[in-house]
């Protein structure tokens, strides 16, 4: 009976969280007239692809998609490289100030992005990087780096040190043991960390809106806001655009969901 109650509660919670996504998908396939009726049908009686056609044909879709891919993938790649280089000594070496540095990483991870907005803006303005894609890439890199370092450190700490010792006995140096032994075993951690970092950078809106003054340099979250104008909101178009926007991240999440769970728990290792 207890297991039945727990499973029932789990199903209810899953339905509660999945319903907004279901609403978005069904609304994307409904004609615009059906979206504004008082009686909303949970199952669409009429299906159309006009909303998707209008969303793709809306000016700026290709440009904003390209900008989002550039800054997001670039930030994730930079965060992974820097995160691996920082996580390995934090997990393997014992040096003065190590625990204090880990505390700073946690504080940086807990700090809200809005609290860093003004310092980031002034820094980019003094460097002359405003309204450029590298500035947005650097911001996303700074946002995703603390989580990347903390999670990858947990993965490195979970790899037995005896494997590295065996490699060094066989003639490998410290870097050779890391490259030949630790790095291949970090595959699940790199995948899980990259997905979380990708989602964080992909969904960011405020920095892309303020830092990028030219519309051709903004990202997809800013493009989604253009469906709402002074004349009203194109609900069908914005629902279809939201489906197109969320589909790649959702598919990737379903593929690597088991590795995501291990990546989320790896950062809790003590050491």
């Amino acid at each position: 009976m207890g297991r039945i109650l727990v499973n029932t509660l789990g199903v209810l919670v899953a339905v509660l969280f999945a319903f907004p996504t279901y609403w978005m998908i069904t609304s994307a396939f409904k004609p615009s007239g059906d979206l504004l009726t008082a009686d909303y049908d949970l199952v669409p009686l009429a299906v159309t692809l006009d909303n998707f056609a209008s969303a793709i044909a809306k000016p700026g879709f290709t440009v904003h998609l390209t900008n989002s891919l550039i800054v997001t993938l670039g930030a994730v790649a930079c965060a992974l490289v820097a995160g691996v280089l920082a996580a390995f000594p934090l997990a393997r070496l014992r040096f003065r100030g190590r625990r204090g540095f880990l505390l700073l990483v946690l504080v940086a991870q807990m700090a809200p992005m809005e609290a860093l907005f003004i310092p980031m803006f002034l820094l980019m303005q003094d460097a002359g990087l405003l309204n450029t894609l590298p500035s947005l890439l650097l911001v996303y890199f700074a946002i995703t780096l603390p989580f990347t370092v903390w999670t990858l450190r947990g993965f490195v700490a979970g790899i037995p040190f005896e494997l590295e010792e065996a490699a060094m006995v066989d003639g490998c140096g410290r870097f050779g043991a890391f490259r030949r032994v630790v790095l291949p075993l970090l595959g699940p951690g790199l995948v899980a960390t990259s997905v979380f970092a990708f989602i964080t950078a992909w969904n960011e809106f405020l920095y892309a809106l303020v830092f990028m003054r030219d519309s051709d340099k903004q990202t997809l979250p800013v493009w989604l806001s253009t469906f709402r104008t002074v004349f009203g909101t194109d609900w069908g178009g914005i629902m279809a655009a939201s489906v197109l926007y969320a589909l790649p991240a959702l598919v990737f999440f379903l593929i690597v969901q088991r590795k995501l769970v291990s990546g989320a728990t790896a950062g809790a290792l003590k050491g």
Side-chain angles (χ1 to χ4, degrees), residues 112-271:
M113 293 187 294
E114 292 77 7
L116 304 176
F117 180 79
I118 294 179
M120 286 283 191
F121 182 87
L122 296 177
L123 181 64
M124 295 303 171
Q125 186 180 41
D126 294 339
L129 293 176
L130 284 180
N131 200 32
T132 61
L133 291 181
S135 67
L136 205 57
L137 190 152
L138 290 175
V139 169
Y140 292 170
F141 166 68
I143 292 173
T144 57
L145 183 60
F147 172 82
T148 304
V149 172
W150 184 259
T151 305
L152 290 179
R153 170 195 166 272
F155 272 98
V156 175
I159 299 175
F161 182 65
E162 290 75 12
L163 297 177
E164 293 179 61
E165 290 181 333
M168 287 187 284
V169 168
D170 291 338
C172 289
R174 171 74 70 175
F175 179 76
F178 167 76
R179 183 174 61 87
R180 296 175 182 271
V181 177
V182 177
L183 194 59
L185 295 177
L186 276 179
L190 293 175
V191 172
T193 306
S194 63
V195 173
F196 278 109
F198 180 89
I199 293 175
T200 300
W202 184 261
N203 292 332
E204 203 286 320
F205 171 79
L206 181 61
Y207 286 91
L209 176 65
V210 179
F211 281 31
M212 303 291 105
R213 300 171 183 173
D214 297 337
S215 59
D216 60 341
K217 296 180 180 179
Q218 294 173 340
T219 57
L220 273 183
V222 182
W223 173 76
L224 286 175
S225 65
T226 60
F227 285 87
R228 184 173 184 178
T229 64
V230 294
F231 302 103
T233 302
D234 182 10
W235 292 110
I238 197 172
M239 291 298 177
S242 299
V243 171
L244 296 175
Y245 172 76
L247 190 59
L250 179 61
V251 172
F252 196 30
F253 174 83
L254 294 176
I255 294 174
V256 297
Q257 56 179 330
R258 292 186 178 181
K259 295 181 179 180
L260 287 177
V261 174
S262 62
T265 57
L269 292 176
K270 182 179 179 181

Side-chain angles (χ1 to χ4, degrees), residues 6 9 16 18 43 50 57 73 76 78-79 96 113-114 119 128 148 151 188 212 219 222 257:
V6 171
L9 179 62
L16 178 64
V43 179
D50 293 341
L73 295 178
V76 171
C78 294
R96 182 175 299 178
M113 293 187 294
E114 292 77 7
T148 304
T151 305
M212 303 291 105
T219 57
V222 182
Q257 56 179 330

Side-chain angles (χ1 to χ4, degrees), residues 34-145:
D34 294 347
L35 295 174
L36 302 178
T37 57
D39 298 329
Y40 192 90
D41 299 322
L42 293 179
V43 179
L45 301 178
V47 177
T48 180
L49 296 177
D50 293 341
N51 296 326
F52 290 93
S54 62
I56 296 176
K58 191 176 180 61
F61 173 74
T62 305
V63 175
H64 289 77
L65 175 61
T66 303
N67 294 338
S68 291
L69 290 175
I70 290 175
V71 297
T72 301
L73 295 178
V76 171
C78 294
L80 287 179
V81 173
V84 169
L85 296 178
F88 183 76
L90 288 174
R92 288 288 188 255
L93 304 180
R94 297 295 183 267
F95 53 89
R96 182 175 299 178
R98 172 177 168 272
R99 293 186 179 275
F101 183 80
L102 288 175
L103 179 61
L104 290 178
V105 172
L106 282 178
V107 171
Q109 182 177 342
M110 292 185 295
M113 293 187 294
E114 292 77 7
L116 304 176
F117 180 79
I118 294 179
M120 286 283 191
F121 182 87
L122 296 177
L123 181 64
M124 295 303 171
Q125 186 180 41
D126 294 339
L129 293 176
L130 284 180
N131 200 32
T132 61
L133 291 181
S135 67
L136 205 57
L137 190 152
L138 290 175
V139 169
Y140 292 170
F141 166 68
I143 292 173
T144 57
L145 183 60

